[in-house]
């Protein structure tokens, strides 16, 4: 990697990112921060501790001479999946760790922050600085997970608790759906080494892309409701075989968090149960639902390369993260502005290694590479993604049945 | 039921029992009170709320004119299993209810206590007084469950958290095992109607009991260790078929909470991990393990009627509940004193209706009767059982694989 | 055991019983004999081989000097559950054993029959004769299982195959339901040692039985249909808690083999799908359904001792087994004649050891005793039970959710 | 599609392929043809019927005026997964269909063959001829499945039954492993329309392939044994996360059908249990094991495009299918000859649509397209693949955990 970092830059970034994480627990009780609603999700408290453990384990313990850990139990409790580091506490049981308490975890954060800022200031090794930058990007990923996970956890409560007090109905008309055309050809995909990126975005490489067109915005709640009302969930011919099995066995007939009461549709939001806004971008659907909707529409999902090509050729800019909103904005523009920072967009690309892929060196090698089977790529970031954490080459990845992320649909089609 | 109750008696009992419940959460964080480690167990917070809901639902809502509930959501959230009352929140998900918070639940308790004490004082209907007494006995049952459930929950944490700061190793020799003989015959079993009892202890009825003998004390940790060391868990011939399937499929080879480190055995207690005391009464075993141990010993488990006959003929008295100890006492006496208040003793009797059994009237009819399949009777109470809640006719019942209760073994044999 | 057996008697019985088994496969293809529709059931071919293995293993291999087994693989393949004998092929996979073929199994039977008849003729040890008698009773139990298991297996086929070509609709009116009263008292229960019985029927012992009354016949299809039409499957208050969970999770709303087409009810029988005969005795229900029906009726199930007392005091005689009928007869009498040989009657007694119970000696000790948890006793035999295999003290036992046996309901009530 | 077919060609092909299918059941009993060892596999009898149903349903019923089906039950029984056609009998229960018997299924085949050959002879519509060709290719796919499925079924039997009497140990040395280099570039991939191909091989399209090298032969049993002996199954760092979970939870530590007895390795084959031949091509491994082995080797799996490019540039020719061998040949050549007809080779490409993919028209549209999630592509055909059914563009696909196909590993690496 070719870019340079100063100690001061990193120190400032460290302080900012760590503080932004802690702002996310405003309005949550210690009980809210404790609960884990499913194996895929983690308690807020665990995220707070794990991101801290990441710095302690990958930086301080490794590069600070004679380092003594804050609590030796944390090596097991807060290791997510790094087998090279050691054993891990059972993932589905993270919600059972009432100790350390939230207060103790916040003290742990404070202690590591003190140690880290001191460590950064005297640091001379740019490789370690880059590793700290990885830790900050890692923490930003967990910021988004804190939000998606607590949303899922609170949604389990029939009281429909509000994390945010206020909900503003976006009383605006969505732009009509139209299409942008691309001629494709042999294009360069992936992240350059001139700025931070994850290993899975690299190396840059050539891909041949056939001509295609892409929708100006993602699918709205209203459009998806038409699919539902047309019997979309009951017609096997729109569905991938695995997807049909999924919706049948799980008795799924609407996006996650949608509730029908009489003839009225509601949606659980961070501000409690709210009437469904037909103009808002659809989110919280699985890849299977995205694929079925695309088939019903006579269109298809884009590949991740089609998406990246369109993003590269546009002037889209990601919106600022706003912790007080947490709903994707109604798209009123016709200019692909919504490619970034609205909802994560399922692509029809499996999450696989780029040609020449090299995992991060050392223990961080487990960061991304070992997940390269069974998942699909999502692109574009969402309104839950922190400011500065969205870029054109970013590859998010989830299993096709997962729905608790801010995942939506942008349609594509062959250009013929 | 023939016994009389005064308003003052009930009011005092109400205040005492409710207060005793709240003393049990000393030393627990709000996170500790939130967690649920398995579907069989409930969070401490849920127990605190459910027992309160019981009074609100079965007394105030039913008998207080124009009563308005504190929160209408609680009807679903804190109903355990009363289908006649209405729908229930999913039992395995009780640990996900971060709202209401512990503070809010304590306020709920306070509010209902105010309403209940006012209600009791003006009460003239002795049937309602008796129903309140049922509510207090119900709360005492949950006091024991609060202890067994939090013990299980904390045991999931590799930090082996301490609920009690102090642990006193009982440095005393257990009495030797010897036998008390009974001629049996046609005997009267069950609870009279002269004092409170649960419906499942009634009516009194005749049972023919063959001659038998009963051990003076329950099996010790040391004796069970001999079973383990003799390969007891690996020899199918000692086991019931279902029990063998159970220990094989769950890979069980010691009582719950036992840990072997090298050659040394430890046991998780309310005071953290402690060396195994060979003289202490064994507890936390399933019926299957009790049955296998008895077979290995060349003996058998008593029936619930043998047990009750022995208890009736002895002068045993239950010890006072001590929230600071929470371990069964080493038995030094030879006089069956340990029949009450040591460990719950698995009997070889299925939990079934007594001849002429009548469930409680009204909605409380679901209290006991609907569980009369698949479970075995345990007798005697444990060191977790509240003072005043132990009696000779008391029938506790659990599934044969359950181990998180304070369950142990007293051997019996035919007298021939 | 006090009874005497002659070699000739046993030899005749051996030849008769073995031949009766083989008559049961008339009309079945080799494919029919291969299939296993659930872990509870076994393929016909496996029953044919297992009963043969039983004689080879418990008699010839044990008591014939220098005995060489027919095929050493059979020790594993056809051992059902005798851990003392050795390992067993996985029970749920018995349907995968295409080899040995049916022809080979019939040859195995023939070979063992030759060896056994020769062995019996020279036998001088009455204990071995009694063990052979156990083997014959064992084979008779499997005769009934061959029928229940193939019925279940064929029922899985949408073609509703016919095992019997002919079906005779019993165009007769069932007797009205009325009651026989018993004063009970201290009575002797269990089998004497003067004739063959299983270990679980012994020893005879005293039981105190309270006054009760018993229905003259078992519940009819028509009566159970009234329960269904009254919403019995939807009303939790009739159900044991485990039973409610069972019917909810399995979506059960009628007895096994019942099919509703429009407004018409049908029942799968050995002669294919047939209109439901409202006058026939109900069968193929679980204990849970029996219990719920009894509760809905304002009655209860009898205990096994009430049942045995009534049987002992009646002059009922079991009907002859008729392989060409295989439906329980419509009961036209008012005299408890139907206690034997109609349908197995669920009792409210758990399957537990009688006081002083001693398992069979030797390897046959695993025959009955190790199943004494979790199951309920059924009494009376069914129209599938071989002639000579029904008696008053006979205790059949199944898990409360099992429905593929010929199980029905006889109501009882307290006499007050 | 541009190619021409004559009625005579199709009629000859029909007769040949149908007959080849029936030769595969030589040596199998009717019981062998009945059994189903797992949901992924089907009974031989079902394959025989389903392929017949395919012609009856997609050709005769659709295009023969006034056609009457042989048996109306078959529409449900033998429909595999065509929702557009109608409901399907439960896939995991196919082994329970004892009726129709094998004899009846063979009669069904004969009847349809008579009808089909008559139908073909008078046919004028080349689109229908092409559909018949699809049916023949479909039947060839099931020929391979008949072999893989019966191998799996018979492997469940501890008697290690032999389908083939004779086993010839290939006493030859495998060629050493060496590498062929490719410069890649923009290449055309996929099947032309000049001959039959499946829809998923089309359309031809441009792909950019980076320089790479490919092994001359697939991995041998001996090489994989080195991986095992080096602790490959115990070292998480070689494994994809899902793969590690798979081998841990399933306790997998060798390829399917491998058995270790003492220090000796054996392998279940169509000729029973045989000593492991270290020179033979490895097969019966999952994608996960292939990926882990490649990682342990410091190499990687090829993409499907790298594989196809190499195949296109080579002169490899598929060997003739030999029903008497059924083991992959030891590779002695250095010339990539083994690309075809040895073992199916896992690629690192997910099974997804080619750009511009169009499913078959009509009901056959469900043939391939709906499986485009969660599976990986395998290339090359195996020694189980029928003669004439192997081609460079052929895309086989299975889930990454599946092991019962003839699946092996060819290593690749970047060329740098």
């Amino acid at each position: 990697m070719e870019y340079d970092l100063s100690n001061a830059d990193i120190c400032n970034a460290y302080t900012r990112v760590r503080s932004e994480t802690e702002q996310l627990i405003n309005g949550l009780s210690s009980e809210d921060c404790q609960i884990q609603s499913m194996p895929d999700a983690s308690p807020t408290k665990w995220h707070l501790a794990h991101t801290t453990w990441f710095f302690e384990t990958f930086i301080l313990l490794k590069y600070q001479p004679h380092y003594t850990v804050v609590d030796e139990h944390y090596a097991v409790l807060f290791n997510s999946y790094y087998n090279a580091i050691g054993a891990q506490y059972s993932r589905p049981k993270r919600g059972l760790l009432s100790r350390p308490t939230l207060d103790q975890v916040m003290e742990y954060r404070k202690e590591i922050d003190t140690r880290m800022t001191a460590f950064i200031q005297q640091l001379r090794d740019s490789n370690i600085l880059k590793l700290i930058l990885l830790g900050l990007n890692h923490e930003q990923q967990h910021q988004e997970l804190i939000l998606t996970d607590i949303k899922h956890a609170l949604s389990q409560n029939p009281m429909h608790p509000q994390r945010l007090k206020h909900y503003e109905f976006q009383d605006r008309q969505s732009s009509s759906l139209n299409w942008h055309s691309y001629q494709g050809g042999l294009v360069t995909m992936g992240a350059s080494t001139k700025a931070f990126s994850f290993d899975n975005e690299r190396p840059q490489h050539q891909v041949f892309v056939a001509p295609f067109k892409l929708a100006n915005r993602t699918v709205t709640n209203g459009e998806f409701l038409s699919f539902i009302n047309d019997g979309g969930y009951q017609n096997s011919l729109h569905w991938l075989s695995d997807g049909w099995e999924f919706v049948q066995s799980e008795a799924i007939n609407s996006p996650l968090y949608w509730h029908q009461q009489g003839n009225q549709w509601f949606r659980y939001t961070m501000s409690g149960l709210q009437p469904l806004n037909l103009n808002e971008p659809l989110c919280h659907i699985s890849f299977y639902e995205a694929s079925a909707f695309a088939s019903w529409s006579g269109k298809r999902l884009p590949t991740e390369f089609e998406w990246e090509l369109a993003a590269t050729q546009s002037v889209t800019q990601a919106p600022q993260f706003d912790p007080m909103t947490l709903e994707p904005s109604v798209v009123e523009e016709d200019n692909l502005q919504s490619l970034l920072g609205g909802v994560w967009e399922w692509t029809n690309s499996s999450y696989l290694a780029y040609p020449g892929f090299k995992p991060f060196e050392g223990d961080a090698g487990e960061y991304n590479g070992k997940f390269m089977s069974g998942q699909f790529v999502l692109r574009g970031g969402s309104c839950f993604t922190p400011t500065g954490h969205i870029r054109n080459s970013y590859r998010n990845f989830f299993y096709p049945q997962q729905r608790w992320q801010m995942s939506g649909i942008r349609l594509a089609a062959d250009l013929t």
Side-chain angles (χ1 to χ4, degrees), chain A:
Chain A
M1 288 176 281
E2 309 160 13
Y3 53 97
D4 283 323
L5 298 167
S6 76
N7 292 34
D9 287 349
I10 286 291
C11 203
N12 289 343
Y14 182 91
T15 305
R16 190 190 74 247
V17 168
R18 296 282 290 172
S19 155
E20 283 165 353
T21 302
E22 295 180 12
Q23 287 162 31
L24 296 177
I25 67 170
N26 287 341
L28 298 180
S29 68
S30 59
E31 287 105 324
D32 291 336
C33 294
Q34 176 66 39
I35 61 179
Q36 177 182 34
S37 49
M38 61 173 174
D40 284 346
S42 295
T44 305
K45 186 173 75 178
W46 190 90
H47 286 297
L48 294 167
H50 163 68
T51 48
T52 307
W53 167 89
F54 191 95
F55 285 110
E56 184 174 38
T57 304
F58 286 85
I59 306 292
L60 295 173
L61 184 57
K62 194 135 193 148
Y63 298 110
Q64 174 118 297
H66 316 300
Y67 184 79
T68 304
V69 296
V70 171
D71 189 315
E72 58 184 15
H73 288 103
Y74 294 177
V76 167
L77 295 186
F78 301 125
N79 181 354
S80 51
Y81 54 65
Y82 296 91
N83 294 317
I85 301 291
Q88 300 119 44
Y89 186 73
S90 166
R91 176 175 185 130
K93 293 189 165 185
R94 287 175 185 166
L96 301 185
L97 296 171
S98 59
R99 318 274 177 103
T101 62
L102 179 59
D103 287 346
Q104 290 167 328
V105 165
M106 296 310 283
E107 282 165 30
Y108 177 43
R109 289 184 68 90
K110 204 169 159 185
E111 176 61 28
I112 295 299
D113 287 351
T114 304
R115 297 186 188 185
M116 277 295 295
T117 46
F119 178 76
I120 292 170
Q121 278 153 20
Q122 52 75 46
L123 198 56
R124 293 293 166 267
D125 182 335
S126 73
N127 281 329
I128 303 179
L129 283 175
K130 283 171 182 170
L131 200 51
I132 295 170
L133 192 55
L134 173 62
L136 293 174
N137 276 273
H138 170 259
E139 180 135 355
Q140 287 183 308
Q141 292 184 308
H142 280 274
Q143 287 171 5
E144 181 153 359
L145 292 174
I146 284 173
L147 293 173
T148 56
D149 292 2
I150 195 66
K151 185 174 183 180
H152 191 265
L154 294 177
S155 80
Q156 304 295 307
N157 194 321
M159 300 174 83
H160 301 303
Q162 295 186 306
R163 188 183 161 284
L164 300 175
K165 294 293 174 213
H166 180 67
Y167 176 79
E168 185 173 6
F169 190 88
Q170 301 182 50
D171 196 6
R172 304 195 298 277
Q173 188 69 27
S174 177
S175 95
S176 62
L177 189 74
N178 50 51
W179 300 89
H180 292 242
S181 295
Y182 299 85
Q183 290 310 318
L186 199 58
V187 295
T188 300
M189 294 280 116
S192 86
T193 55
K194 296 194 176 140
F196 174 83
S197 63
F198 286 111
D199 52 2
N200 61 16
E201 304 170 55
R202 299 192 304 257
Q204 286 193 320
H205 62 288
Q206 302 283 93
V207 174
F208 185 82
V209 175
F212 69 101
K213 58 183 182 179
L214 198 65
N216 66 310
R217 59 159 173 78
T218 62
V219 169
T220 63
N221 289 332
E223 287 162 346
F224 200 80
L225 193 55
S226 299
F227 169 75
I228 294 177
N229 291 337
D230 192 42
Y233 277 101
Q234 285 75 49
N235 185 344
S236 68
L237 297 183
H238 301 315
W239 294 81
L240 288 163
S241 181
D242 289 350
W244 183 244
E245 162 69 18
F246 172 66
V247 294
Q248 296 288 108
S249 67
E250 304 283 318
I252 287 173
N253 48 32
S254 69
L256 185 63
Y257 303 139
W258 286 32
H259 297 262
Q260 195 172 20
Q261 297 180 356
N263 287 326
Q264 189 77 24
W265 282 96
F266 293 84
R267 196 162 70 91
Y268 179 69
T269 73
M270 290 290 203
S271 305
L273 205 63
Q274 300 292 344
L276 187 69
N277 185 341
L278 300 184
N279 285 292
E280 272 186 27
L282 167 75
C283 69
H284 293 302
I285 51 147
S286 63
F287 171 82
Y288 296 131
E289 289 158 297
S291 165
F293 178 87
S295 166
W296 173 82
S297 305
K299 299 292 182 296
R300 59 171 176 82
L301 300 179
T303 67
E304 64 170 320
F305 302 117
E306 289 170 340
W307 191 98
E308 187 170 333
L309 173 58
T312 308
Q313 295 186 0
S314 88
V315 293
T316 60
Q317 244 179 324
Q320 294 286 307
F321 171 77
D322 174 2
M324 299 312 291
T325 306
L326 301 180
E327 297 297 326
S329 295
V330 169
V331 177
E332 297 175 292
E333 314 82 19
D334 184 26
N335 59 2
L336 284 170
Q337 178 62 34
S338 67
L339 274 172
L340 302 181
V343 296
W344 285 101
E345 304 178 13
W346 284 110
T347 73
N348 201 40
S349 296
S350 289
Y351 175 57
L352 293 170
Y354 283 172
F357 167 67
K358 296 269 178 299
F360 287 128
E361 286 183 9
D363 296 336
E366 293 184 66
Y367 199 101
N368 279 314
K370 74 180 182 183
F371 301 107
M372 289 175 173
S373 69
Q375 309 202 42
F376 280 84
V377 172
L378 301 99
R379 293 295 194 113
S382 80
C383 61
F384 278 22
T385 312
T387 302
H389 195 72
I390 294 179
R391 60 185 165 269
N392 291 341
S393 62
Y394 197 107
R395 306 173 80 199
N396 205 348
F397 48 91
F398 282 95
Y399 288 97
Q401 76 278 9
Q402 290 175 319
R403 316 204 302 162
W404 93 111
Q405 295 298 306
M406 300 296 287
S407 48
I409 308 170
R410 184 181 302 270
L411 294 174
D414 297 341
L415 195 64
T416 51

